Amino acid sequence: MSDEFRISSELAEEMVQHCIEGRPNEACGMLGIKDGTVVKIFRMTNALRSPVRYRLDSTEQLAVHNTLYSEGWDWAAFHSHTHTEAYPSPTDIREKRDDVPYVIVSLATDPPEIRAFRIEKEDWAGDEGVVQEIPVTILP
Amino acid sequence: MPVAVRIPTVFRKFTSGESQVQVDPGTIGDLIGQLDNRYPGFKRQVLTDDGSLHRFVNVYVNDEDIRYIERLDTRATEGDTVSLLPSVAGGSDRLDDRGH
């Protein structure tokens, strides 16, 4: 996808709602994207059930990938930070493995903040990465 | 009939850009060996130095994550689809916003 990130206010609200319902733990999921615009929120299970860490449930992840494959959609990952800002933490950078946008929803502010990033790594398995913000446009 | 292996974007630089490749049936360990013979360096992307699956790579035979079955000894038979996916993980690691 091009480096812009568009989401309707309705789907943004659905993503935020999933994050709120996941509290006190971090919530996570995937976003189906067509032509740079989010078309579907995949609410998924945080396999780590933790307030400070997340990992997409691997079985759900495959099922969503199969849907993305059959629909021909791009995707992004999203997760919440329950008490910190919507910016990749050192853990987010270290654990970043796939070359897709990472969206973070911060529940530390009211209303919650949504920001999107690319995390570029020279070595996909390495710990170091460079964060680049992708502008988020919320469509009416 | 061979086994189809779906290759995620992050590994395609090792498979000449191929998103799906065909291999002979066998255990997942055998399949990774076949892929490494064809695409030198592939194994190092998927396995640790001690030969176990990297914690941030998921491997599935059809719909089953091999971690919940026989790991690298899980067999893929004729007509099966093997999918590789990098794990998606991270987290704030903190419950307060001090330090930023």
Side-chain angles (χ1 to χ4, degrees), chain A residues 26 48 51-56 58-59 61-62 65-66 69 75 77 79 81-85 87 89 91-92 94-99 102 108 123-125, chain B residues 6 8-11 13-14 19-20 45-46 54-58 60 62-65 67-68 83 85-97 100:
Chain A
E26 291 193 1
L48 300 181
V52 292
R53 296 291 297 272
Y54 81 98
R55 189 175 68 228
L56 297 186
S58 64
T59 304
Q61 190 185 349
L62 179 68
H65 269 280
N66 288 339
Y69 188 81
W75 65 282
H79 74 283
H81 285 178
T82 59
H83 290 75
T84 60
E85 67 171 329
Y87 192 85
S89 71
T91 302
D92 287 328
R94 192 176 63 246
E95 295 293 327
K96 178 267 177 185
R97 305 297 175 196
D98 215 338
D99 191 22
Y102 279 63
D123 172 12
W124 79 281
Chain B
R6 285 192 185 167
T9 319
V10 73
F11 293 150
K13 59 175 175 275
F14 297 95
S19 60
Q20 184 163 306
Q45 302 301 315
V46 183
H54 266 310
R55 65 179 172 80
F56 41 78
V57 177
N58 300 328
Y60 310 83
N62 300 322
D63 293 334
E64 292 209 75
D65 184 334
R67 281 198 179 84
Y68 301 126
S83 303
L85 291 177
S87 67
V88 177
S92 63
D93 241 359
R94 288 183 298 121
L95 277 176
D96 64 71
D97 213 0
H100 267 289

Side-chain angles (χ1 to χ4, degrees), chain A residues 37-130:
Chain A
T37 302
V38 176
V39 291
K40 187 169 175 66
I41 310 289
F42 295 94
R43 296 169 168 236
M44 295 168 69
T45 303
N46 176 358
L48 300 181
R49 293 176 174 76
S50 160
V52 292
R53 296 291 297 272
Y54 81 98
R55 189 175 68 228
L56 297 186
D57 176 272
S58 64
T59 304
E60 293 177 8
Q61 190 185 349
L62 179 68
V64 172
H65 269 280
N66 288 339
T67 301
L68 297 169
Y69 188 81
S70 60
E71 296 285 353
W73 292 339
D74 298 317
W75 65 282
F78 77 91
H79 74 283
S80 62
H81 285 178
T82 59
H83 290 75
T84 60
E85 67 171 329
Y87 192 85
S89 71
T91 302
D92 287 328
I93 295 169
R94 192 176 63 246
E95 295 293 327
K96 178 267 177 185
R97 305 297 175 196
D98 215 338
D99 191 22
V100 296
Y102 279 63
V103 175
I104 301 176
V105 177
S106 171
L107 302 179
T109 56
D110 185 18
E113 187 180 27
I114 299 169
R115 293 170 74 185
F117 304 90
R118 277 193 184 277
I119 303 169
E120 306 286 352
K121 283 184 161 182
E122 274 189 33
D123 172 12
W124 79 281
D127 293 345
E128 307 296 323
V130 176

